[in-house]
Amino acid sequence: MSFFESLDPAFDRFVLGNAPVKQLATGYDWLEGPVWFGDAGCLLFSDIPSNRILRWTPGSGVTTYREPSHYANGHTRDRDGRLVSCEHGTRRVTRTEHDGAITVLADGYEGKRLNSPNDVVVSIDGAVWFSDPHYGIGSNYEGFAAPQELPCRVYRIDPLSGTLQVMIDDMNCPNGLAFSPDESRLYVADTGRMYEGDPQHIRVYEMRDGTPVNGRLFHTIDPGCADGIRVDSDGNLWSSAADGVHCISPEGKLLGKIFVPELVSNICFGGRAKHELYITATTSLYRITLNRTGVQFP
Ligand code: MG
């Protein structure tokens, strides 16, 4: 069987004909938030409903990294290599220090609680950017059902002052985030209310003096939605979709697909040369080796 569908000749060079979509672990409830730790030789990822952050290590499989995880969803690493996490249950963004202590980076804005921070990236200046849709407070499945106090937005946490700043407030439900390799662009996935038939698309913003401006439609995912997105070193965007992972050119053209047997939530690059794509998909963790280099810091 083929794991791929090539829609552009460029994609033929991105994939390896004999590299499988390999299931590394299964039996979970709903996986998200993969983040690669090359220095520790492992991948961390969230099983949100089971309130755990898990650790997959090549050769030894999955162990529990943190439980309870406060229904953690997306993760990334900051410029010092520290884990930065979005937590639904506590409605906050945290940083795990090198000694294991947990620092709260943000949990509210102007006296109101955040909704349920979902996905997070760190820019080259060390600022933490995160999305805050309402998915974690809509029911008790991935957090705690509670009233929504703030609009769904994208925020930036200043690396020096720690101040929280609203950066994007004109989207329905911002979700996955990714900067282009030179950080001249910010991509933001909008997954909408999910139940009302909203378009599932990715927007691109131009970064001007550190601010995202001129947001416009970049690409509409079909089928499914762009929950998690990542870029490779040539600026191609890789996105989750209902049938797997889609690869989209910087011009917004769908170049090809990787088919995954389960609904994909999030992805990240990892491995020795950041040439492996780790895929969280419903109950399972998958990996495929690509002829690509992902942008993943550190
Ligand atoms: Mg997400």
Side-chain angles (χ1 to χ4, degrees):
M1 65 172 286
S2 174
F3 296 101
F4 319 114
E5 180 181 3
S6 182
L7 300 164
D8 186 287
F11 191 73
D12 296 336
R13 301 191 305 273
F14 296 177
V15 293
L16 302 163
N18 59 347
V21 174
K22 184 176 181 181
Q23 186 184 72
L24 301 176
T26 191
Y28 304 102
D29 290 329
W30 177 254
L31 299 183
E32 297 220 31
V35 57
W36 177 253
F37 277 70
D39 44 353
C42 69
L43 180 90
L44 299 183
F45 57 103
S46 299
D47 185 4
I48 305 177
S50 76
N51 204 10
R52 290 181 296 172
I53 301 172
L54 301 164
R55 176 203 295 115
W56 176 81
T57 307
S60 34
V62 175
T63 53
T64 298
Y65 173 77
R66 180 179 297 164
E67 185 179 21
S69 64
H70 305 297
Y71 298 92
N73 184 336
H75 306 280
T76 193
R77 301 180 73 180
D78 72 7
R79 296 283 149 172
D80 293 320
R82 295 171 293 190
L83 176 68
V84 179
S85 302
C86 294
E87 299 177 0
H88 285 180
T90 41
R91 301 167 68 165
R92 65 187 189 181
V93 178
T94 62
R95 181 177 66 216
T96 303
E97 309 295 346
H98 292 302
D99 65 2
I102 291 177
T103 301
V104 178
L105 300 182
D107 60 3
Y109 183 77
E110 294 185 335
K112 295 177 179 173
R113 299 186 74 188
L114 297 175
N115 299 318
S116 49
N118 187 296
D119 211 341
V120 59
V121 290
V122 176
S123 53
I124 193 142
D125 62 356
V128 174
W129 295 65
F130 68 94
S131 59
D132 186 40
H134 57 73
Y135 301 124
I137 55 174
S139 74
N140 287 302
Y141 184 52
E142 293 193 358
F144 301 99
Q148 181 175 344
E149 299 178 28
L150 290 166
C152 300
R153 295 163 162 162
V154 173
Y155 295 91
R156 175 186 183 271
I157 305 171
D158 187 85
L160 297 177
S161 68
T163 305
L164 196 59
Q165 187 180 1
V166 177
M167 303 309 285
I168 296 173
D169 63 359
D170 62 348
M171 295 183 74
N172 190 329
C173 281
N175 198 321
L177 308 162
F179 284 102
S180 62
D182 64 359
E183 298 200 358
S184 65
R185 288 177 159 193
L186 174 66
Y187 298 100
V188 185
D190 194 334
T191 46
R193 300 272 153 179
M194 287 187 169
Y195 310 107
E196 299 170 8
D198 291 335
Q200 306 295 325
H201 62 238
I202 300 166
R203 281 208 213 169
V204 60
Y205 293 80
E206 298 166 32
M207 292 299 295
R208 190 173 298 161
D209 299 325
T211 301
V213 297
N214 297 335
R216 61 178 172 83
L217 176 65
F218 174 69
H219 182 84
T220 299
I221 292 292
D222 181 30
C225 59
D227 186 339
I229 52 177
R230 288 288 187 273
V231 292
D232 66 30
S233 58
D234 291 327
N236 299 297
L237 193 70
W238 298 74
S239 172
S240 66
D243 56 354
V245 178
H246 293 188
C247 178
I248 303 147
S249 76
E251 294 74 38
K253 181 179 187 296
L254 179 62
L255 301 179
K257 300 180 177 184
I258 299 168
F259 295 115
V260 179
E262 298 180 72
L263 180 67
V264 174
S265 58
N266 291 172
I267 54 178
C268 82
F269 287 97
R272 164 175 52 81
K274 298 185 174 71
H275 63 306
E276 297 169 339
L277 190 68
Y278 289 85
I279 302 164
T280 52
T282 312
T283 67
S284 305
L285 173 69
Y286 295 88
R287 179 190 64 196
I288 185 166
T289 300
L290 298 171
N291 188 24
R292 292 276 82 199
T293 301
V295 174
Q296 182 95 351
F297 186 87

Short mmCIF file of all heavy atoms in Angstrom, two decimals, residues 37-63:
data_model
loop_
_atom_site.label_atom_id
_atom_site.label_comp_id
_atom_site.label_asym_id
_atom_site.label_seq_id
_atom_site.Cartn_x
_atom_site.Cartn_y
_atom_site.Cartn_z
N PHE A 37 12.48 15.97 22.44
CA PHE A 37 13.61 16.31 23.31
C PHE A 37 14.81 15.47 22.87
O PHE A 37 15.05 14.38 23.40
CB PHE A 37 13.28 16.02 24.79
CG PHE A 37 12.50 17.12 25.45
CD1 PHE A 37 11.19 17.37 25.10
CD2 PHE A 37 13.09 17.94 26.40
CE1 PHE A 37 10.47 18.40 25.69
CE2 PHE A 37 12.39 18.97 26.99
CZ PHE A 37 11.07 19.21 26.64
N GLY A 38 15.57 15.99 21.91
CA GLY A 38 16.71 15.24 21.41
C GLY A 38 17.76 15.01 22.48
O GLY A 38 18.42 13.96 22.51
N ASP A 39 17.93 15.99 23.38
CA ASP A 39 18.94 15.85 24.43
C ASP A 39 18.58 14.74 25.41
O ASP A 39 19.46 14.11 26.00
CB ASP A 39 19.15 17.19 25.17
CG ASP A 39 17.85 17.89 25.50
OD1 ASP A 39 16.78 17.43 25.06
OD2 ASP A 39 17.91 18.92 26.20
N ALA A 40 17.29 14.51 25.59
CA ALA A 40 16.85 13.43 26.48
C ALA A 40 16.50 12.17 25.68
O ALA A 40 16.17 11.15 26.28
CB ALA A 40 15.64 13.88 27.29
N GLY A 41 16.57 12.26 24.37
CA GLY A 41 16.29 11.11 23.51
C GLY A 41 14.87 10.62 23.63
O GLY A 41 14.61 9.41 23.63
N CYS A 42 13.93 11.54 23.71
CA CYS A 42 12.54 11.12 23.88
C CYS A 42 11.58 12.13 23.28
O CYS A 42 11.97 13.26 22.94
CB CYS A 42 12.21 10.89 25.36
SG CYS A 42 12.16 12.39 26.33
N LEU A 43 10.35 11.71 23.17
CA LEU A 43 9.25 12.56 22.73
C LEU A 43 8.24 12.65 23.87
O LEU A 43 7.86 11.63 24.44
CB LEU A 43 8.58 11.94 21.50
CG LEU A 43 7.41 12.72 20.93
CD1 LEU A 43 7.91 13.71 19.88
CD2 LEU A 43 6.37 11.79 20.31
N LEU A 44 7.80 13.85 24.19
CA LEU A 44 6.71 14.02 25.14
C LEU A 44 5.43 14.30 24.35
O LEU A 44 5.47 14.97 23.31
CB LEU A 44 6.98 15.17 26.11
CG LEU A 44 8.21 15.06 27.00
CD1 LEU A 44 8.27 16.26 27.95
CD2 LEU A 44 8.22 13.76 27.79
N PHE A 45 4.30 13.84 24.86
CA PHE A 45 3.01 14.13 24.22
C PHE A 45 1.92 13.98 25.26
O PHE A 45 2.10 13.36 26.31
CB PHE A 45 2.77 13.21 23.01
CG PHE A 45 2.82 11.73 23.30
CD1 PHE A 45 1.65 10.99 23.39
CD2 PHE A 45 4.03 11.06 23.46
CE1 PHE A 45 1.68 9.63 23.63
CE2 PHE A 45 4.07 9.70 23.72
CZ PHE A 45 2.88 8.98 23.80
N SER A 46 0.77 14.56 24.96
CA SER A 46 -0.35 14.59 25.91
C SER A 46 -1.40 13.55 25.55
O SER A 46 -1.75 13.40 24.38
CB SER A 46 -1.03 15.97 25.88
OG SER A 46 -0.14 16.99 26.25
N ASP A 47 -1.89 12.84 26.57
CA ASP A 47 -3.18 12.16 26.44
C ASP A 47 -4.14 12.99 27.28
O ASP A 47 -4.20 12.84 28.50
CB ASP A 47 -3.09 10.71 26.93
CG ASP A 47 -4.40 9.94 26.69
OD1 ASP A 47 -5.33 10.52 26.07
OD2 ASP A 47 -4.49 8.78 27.12
N ILE A 48 -4.85 13.89 26.62
CA ILE A 48 -5.58 14.92 27.37
C ILE A 48 -6.64 14.33 28.29
O ILE A 48 -6.65 14.61 29.49
CB ILE A 48 -6.19 15.97 26.42
CG1 ILE A 48 -5.11 16.58 25.51
CG2 ILE A 48 -6.85 17.09 27.23
CD1 ILE A 48 -5.65 17.58 24.49
N PRO A 49 -7.56 13.47 27.77
CA PRO A 49 -8.64 13.01 28.67
C PRO A 49 -8.13 12.18 29.86
O PRO A 49 -8.77 12.15 30.91
CB PRO A 49 -9.52 12.16 27.75
CG PRO A 49 -9.21 12.64 26.37
CD PRO A 49 -7.76 13.00 26.40
N SER A 50 -6.98 11.51 29.70
CA SER A 50 -6.48 10.71 30.82
C SER A 50 -5.57 11.52 31.73
O SER A 50 -5.00 10.97 32.68
CB SER A 50 -5.75 9.46 30.31
OG SER A 50 -4.47 9.79 29.82
N ASN A 51 -5.47 12.84 31.44
CA ASN A 51 -4.81 13.75 32.36
C ASN A 51 -3.33 13.40 32.58
O ASN A 51 -2.82 13.43 33.69
CB ASN A 51 -5.55 13.76 33.71
CG ASN A 51 -5.34 15.04 34.49
OD1 ASN A 51 -4.79 16.02 33.98
ND2 ASN A 51 -5.76 15.03 35.75
N ARG A 52 -2.67 13.04 31.46
CA ARG A 52 -1.26 12.63 31.56
C ARG A 52 -0.43 13.23 30.43
O ARG A 52 -0.93 13.39 29.31
CB ARG A 52 -1.12 11.10 31.45
CG ARG A 52 -1.65 10.32 32.61
CD ARG A 52 -1.44 8.84 32.38
NE ARG A 52 -2.20 8.33 31.23
CZ ARG A 52 -2.08 7.12 30.72
NH1 ARG A 52 -1.21 6.26 31.23
NH2 ARG A 52 -2.81 6.75 29.68
N ILE A 53 0.81 13.53 30.75
CA ILE A 53 1.83 13.74 29.72
C ILE A 53 2.66 12.46 29.68
O ILE A 53 3.13 11.98 30.73
CB ILE A 53 2.73 14.95 30.03
CG1 ILE A 53 1.89 16.23 30.14
CG2 ILE A 53 3.79 15.10 28.94
CD1 ILE A 53 2.69 17.44 30.62
N LEU A 54 2.82 11.93 28.47
CA LEU A 54 3.53 10.67 28.29
C LEU A 54 4.88 10.92 27.64
O LEU A 54 5.11 11.95 27.00
CB LEU A 54 2.69 9.72 27.43
CG LEU A 54 1.32 9.39 28.03
CD1 LEU A 54 0.39 8.79 26.98
CD2 LEU A 54 1.46 8.46 29.22
N ARG A 55 5.77 9.96 27.81
CA ARG A 55 7.13 10.04 27.26
C ARG A 55 7.39 8.78 26.46
O ARG A 55 7.30 7.66 27.00
CB ARG A 55 8.14 10.13 28.41
CG ARG A 55 9.60 10.13 27.98
CD ARG A 55 10.52 9.68 29.10
NE ARG A 55 10.56 10.56 30.25
CZ ARG A 55 10.14 10.25 31.47
NH1 ARG A 55 9.62 9.07 31.71
NH2 ARG A 55 10.24 11.10 32.47
N TRP A 56 7.68 8.97 25.15
CA TRP A 56 8.05 7.82 24.32
C TRP A 56 9.56 7.86 24.10
O TRP A 56 10.12 8.88 23.69
CB TRP A 56 7.35 7.86 22.97
CG TRP A 56 7.79 6.75 22.05
CD1 TRP A 56 7.35 5.46 22.07
CD2 TRP A 56 8.77 6.83 21.02
NE1 TRP A 56 8.01 4.73 21.11
CE2 TRP A 56 8.90 5.55 20.45
CE3 TRP A 56 9.58 7.87 20.54
CZ2 TRP A 56 9.78 5.28 19.41
CZ3 TRP A 56 10.46 7.59 19.52
CH2 TRP A 56 10.55 6.31 18.95
N THR A 57 10.22 6.75 24.40
CA THR A 57 11.66 6.64 24.23
C THR A 57 11.95 5.50 23.27
O THR A 57 11.45 4.39 23.48
CB THR A 57 12.34 6.35 25.59
OG1 THR A 57 11.92 7.33 26.53
CG2 THR A 57 13.85 6.38 25.47
N PRO A 58 12.76 5.76 22.21
CA PRO A 58 13.06 4.68 21.28
C PRO A 58 13.65 3.47 22.01
O PRO A 58 14.54 3.62 22.84
CB PRO A 58 14.09 5.30 20.33
CG PRO A 58 13.87 6.77 20.44
CD PRO A 58 13.42 7.02 21.84
N GLY A 59 13.13 2.32 21.72
CA GLY A 59 13.65 1.10 22.32
C GLY A 59 13.00 0.71 23.62
O GLY A 59 13.02 -0.46 24.00
N SER A 60 12.43 1.66 24.33
CA SER A 60 11.78 1.30 25.59
C SER A 60 10.32 1.68 25.69
O SER A 60 9.66 1.37 26.66
CB SER A 60 12.55 1.84 26.80
OG SER A 60 13.16 3.05 26.54
N GLY A 61 9.80 2.39 24.71
CA GLY A 61 8.36 2.62 24.68
C GLY A 61 7.89 3.78 25.54
O GLY A 61 8.64 4.73 25.76
N VAL A 62 6.67 3.65 26.02
CA VAL A 62 5.99 4.78 26.67
C VAL A 62 5.99 4.63 28.19
O VAL A 62 5.70 3.55 28.72
CB VAL A 62 4.54 4.89 26.15
CG1 VAL A 62 3.78 5.99 26.89
CG2 VAL A 62 4.54 5.18 24.65
N THR A 63 6.33 5.71 28.85
CA THR A 63 6.19 5.81 30.30
C THR A 63 5.46 7.11 30.60
O THR A 63 5.30 7.96 29.72
CB THR A 63 7.56 5.81 31.01
OG1 THR A 63 8.38 6.83 30.43
CG2 THR A 63 8.26 4.46 30.88
#
